[in-house]
Amino acid sequence: MGEKIVFPDELERSIRLGQKAIEQKEYLTACGYFKKAYEMEMSFSVNQLYVAALLKLEDFEAALQVAQDFSEEYQSTEAALTQYVRILLLNQQFLIARKVISQSVLLTKEKRRTLTQQVEQLELAIDLLDPESLQVKRQLLKRWDKKQTPMPSAAWDEFQHQLTYPQFVALMQDFLPASNNNFLRPRLIEELVLLGCDKTILTNSWLEIGYQLDLKTLLLPEDLPAFKKLQHYFESEIAAKNVQMAEYCIAELKTHLALTYPFVPFAENTMLWAQSYVLEYQRLMGDVTAEKSLGELSKINLQKEKIRQIYQEIF
């Protein structure tokens, strides 16, 4: 079947009827017209009309689902971003709302403070009205910690829904010191950094060594100097010689970053790690001299073997 042909007057008619229905406070009817218009033209302008109608209908979950089609556009102007934060708060997505606010470069200091205060007020109400929710989140974390596997997107969505920032920090202070899930721990620490948490927390590394982490000094994974140095090296120097080798090295690097953050082993002897990635690729391609050269990188080989063992636990 060919593509559906949409005539301009048909789209305009649906929008016009939807706007008329809004004026008459017939929100369900308006949603029907705007949904039809959105199916004809999936644009940001029509999205905003459809989302506004869904909010009038108080179908907050659907409003967020539709808005997420254009999440970047909703963060492109102060007015749109303010609307997007409102939608997130109506869905009790407090952590996401906080990250949107803190990471925006559009907001003035005063506007950022105002939006943050709105989040804090709603969080306080949730903490007072539903204190049992914290125990539910704690049990969910414990279940995934025992599984020793990454947390799927659906489980993560369930975990962060209705979770306030004070609850999340309290959970992490209790959970991270005893966590044994090498896939879950880096994600939780990264979330704390994204949220701008300035606490010092106890946690274990992937080498099962306990550390005190000063979160306010911690960089995001992709901002770590050693990672940026290695990625640049592979994308420039190695890619100029062998694109497939560069892609292999970057994939391995990102895998190791995801598992070992924030205790990345390649922060020391960074260029020896670069050499090891290249040699591993050459060995896979049948280069007999690469095996001998790899043997000279015994400490790095042991660390990589430990990482492999962690991944093999999944299977």
Side-chain angles (χ1 to χ4, degrees):
M1 295 179 64
E3 293 184 3
K4 181 180 178 182
I5 299 174
V6 178
F7 295 98
D9 58 340
E10 186 179 355
L11 174 64
E12 292 170 7
R13 179 176 180 274
S14 295
I15 292 174
R16 186 171 62 253
L17 290 172
Q19 291 171 328
K20 183 177 180 181
I22 288 287
E23 293 172 1
Q24 296 174 345
K25 298 184 179 181
E26 297 175 356
Y27 303 131
L28 182 60
T29 301
C31 286
Y33 284 122
F34 288 136
K35 181 180 179 182
K36 183 179 178 181
Y38 194 51
E39 290 170 349
M40 288 186 280
E41 180 184 288
M42 195 174 175
S43 65
F44 183 43
S45 59
V46 179
N47 180 286
Q48 289 177 295
L49 292 171
Y50 187 17
V51 167
L54 288 167
L55 291 175
K56 290 287 188 181
L57 193 61
E58 298 187 357
D59 191 344
F60 305 135
E61 184 177 353
L64 179 57
Q65 289 176 347
V66 175
Q68 285 174 333
D69 290 340
F70 288 89
S71 59
E72 290 186 10
E73 286 78 2
Y74 272 101
Q75 298 176 61
S76 62
T77 68
E78 182 178 311
L81 185 143
T82 301
Q83 175 76 322
Y84 190 53
V85 169
R86 175 173 173 252
I87 297 167
L88 289 167
L89 294 181
L90 287 169
N91 282 273
Q92 299 183 349
Q93 294 287 359
F94 304 113
L95 299 187
I96 299 176
R98 280 179 172 271
K99 286 183 287 187
V100 168
I101 294 167
S102 65
Q103 294 169 20
S104 174
V105 297
L106 298 173
L107 299 175
T108 63
K109 183 181 291 188
E110 184 61 34
K111 185 65 175 180
R112 193 186 311 276
R113 185 186 301 113
T114 299
L115 289 175
T116 302
Q117 287 174 347
Q118 291 176 8
V119 178
E120 290 171 345
Q121 290 169 2
L122 289 171
E123 286 180 328
L124 180 60
I126 291 294
D127 289 344
L128 291 173
L129 295 173
D130 192 12
E132 298 299 320
S133 66
L134 189 60
Q135 185 60 25
V136 174
K137 304 297 185 183
R138 182 176 284 110
Q139 292 303 319
L140 181 62
L141 275 179
K142 287 182 177 179
R143 288 202 302 272
W144 278 106
D145 196 50
K146 290 178 181 178
K147 290 187 177 184
Q148 294 293 313
T149 61
M151 183 183 282
S153 296
W156 179 257
D157 292 342
E158 179 187 355
F159 170 68
Q160 68 176 350
H161 181 236
Q162 295 181 318
L163 184 63
T164 69
Y165 174 71
Q167 287 177 337
F168 181 62
V169 173
L171 275 175
M172 294 304 98
Q173 290 174 323
D174 176 56
F175 174 78
L176 285 173
S179 173
N180 295 310
N181 188 326
N182 289 294
F183 300 93
L184 180 58
R185 182 172 54 244
R187 182 170 190 177
L188 294 172
I189 293 173
E190 181 181 0
E191 189 73 8
L192 285 167
V193 177
L194 283 167
L195 288 163
C197 183
D198 59 359
K199 305 290 185 182
T200 297
I201 60 168
L202 297 173
T203 187
N204 293 319
S205 73
W206 58 282
L207 289 170
E208 301 176 359
I209 300 172
Y211 287 92
Q212 276 194 334
L213 277 183
D214 184 0
L215 292 171
K216 65 176 177 291
T217 65
L218 201 59
L219 298 173
L220 290 170
E222 63 273 16
D223 293 331
L224 294 176
F227 172 76
K228 293 172 72 173
K229 182 176 182 178
L230 287 170
Q231 186 178 39
H232 176 73
Y233 173 69
F234 295 138
E235 289 177 343
S236 55
E237 296 188 36
I238 299 302
K241 302 173 185 177
N242 186 323
V243 173
Q244 189 174 359
M245 181 192 295
E247 290 175 347
Y248 169 86
C249 292
I250 292 171
E252 285 290 289
L253 173 64
K254 289 183 176 179
T255 297
H256 293 163
L257 174 68
L259 188 72
T260 63
Y261 176 79
F263 311 102
V264 293
F266 47 78
E268 297 179 359
N269 301 314
T270 302
M271 294 316 294
L272 285 180
W273 273 83
Q275 183 182 350
S276 76
Y277 289 122
V278 171
L279 288 171
E280 281 191 344
Y281 175 82
Q282 291 173 336
R283 182 178 60 181
L284 286 172
M285 295 297 105
D287 187 336
V288 293
T289 62
E291 183 72 39
K292 181 180 178 181
S293 298
L294 272 171
E296 299 172 0
L297 303 174
S298 57
K299 183 179 178 180
I300 292 175
N301 292 335
L302 287 173
Q303 289 174 311
K304 285 188 174 182
E305 181 58 32
K306 171 64 174 176
I307 294 172
R308 289 191 192 97
Q309 289 173 3
I310 294 171
Y311 269 101
Q312 286 169 0
E313 291 176 5
I314 300 180
F315 307 103

